[in-house]
Amino acid sequence: MPNYKLHINGKERSVAADADTPLLWVLRDELNLVGTKFGCGIAQCGACTVHIDGVATRSCQMQVSSLDNLIITTIEGLSEDGNHPVQQAWKEIDVPQCGYCQSGQIMTAAAFLEEHKNPSEEEIRKAMNGNICRCASYNRIEKAVKVAAEKMT
């Protein structure tokens, strides 16, 4: 089994995995970074979203062999103490219900807000589209993204 050096949450990590192993399973099973969730396995729900070089990416479809020299950030690495503006807004608005989709929602919102400092409601909806919330907390998610945008300016 090949060894891969991955740059995750500011640290270099070495993992042994088959070349086609999805990043999601490397994170969860090999590195015990379980904040990234398995939802659908076909990159349609957003539960497994991480940042790869700052871009929100579905980790269930990203093969470990394709990650050489890329910077990976998981929900655990977004901030050391949960003080990222998106995390603060999520708490302030009390977004989660069951919480299962929330790490993917937060990671999508954080990457979006890095590029869009003062987004409209329509831009927020478009950016968050495709991140499924089984509890249908979409209104609170949208509100929290707007609050986070204000915190980031």
Side-chain angles (χ1 to χ4, degrees), residues 71-84:
I71 305 300
I72 302 163
T73 306
T74 68
I75 189 73
E76 293 91 346
L78 192 59
S79 71
E80 288 185 22
D81 55 5
N83 69 351
H84 187 280

Side-chain angles (χ1 to χ4, degrees), residues 12-148:
E12 188 171 289
R13 308 288 295 265
S14 182
V15 296
D18 290 328
D20 62 349
T21 303
L23 173 60
L24 172 65
W25 299 118
V26 170
L27 294 172
R28 292 184 60 80
D29 295 346
E30 302 299 323
L31 301 175
N32 199 33
L33 294 170
V34 295
T36 304
K37 305 297 184 197
F38 172 77
C40 66
I42 57 172
Q44 297 299 303
C45 74
C48 68
T49 302
V50 299
H51 296 171
I52 298 183
D53 283 350
V55 176
T57 305
R58 308 292 168 88
S59 65
C60 70
Q61 293 294 301
M62 190 61 108
Q63 294 181 350
V64 68
S65 59
S66 68
L67 299 168
D68 201 27
N69 295 317
L70 301 177
I71 305 300
I72 302 163
T73 306
T74 68
I75 189 73
E76 293 91 346
L78 192 59
S79 71
E80 288 185 22
D81 55 5
N83 69 351
H84 187 280
V86 175
Q87 292 170 311
Q88 290 175 340
W90 243 248
K91 292 175 206 168
E92 185 178 319
I93 303 302
D94 196 23
V95 172
Q97 285 188 36
C98 82
Y100 197 82
C101 70
Q102 296 309 304
S103 65
Q105 300 275 3
I106 288 168
M107 295 303 284
T108 298
F112 167 69
L113 291 174
E114 284 299 321
E115 298 295 320
H116 300 85
K117 300 300 183 195
N118 188 24
S120 67
E121 285 182 18
E122 186 61 35
E123 290 172 318
I124 293 170
R125 286 183 186 144
K126 184 177 178 184
M128 300 305 293
N129 185 38
N131 281 72
I132 297 171
C133 176
R134 294 179 191 178
C135 301
S137 294
Y138 298 112
N139 291 334
R140 289 195 308 232
I141 291 167
E142 184 179 312
K143 186 176 181 180
V145 174
K146 192 68 169 166
V147 167

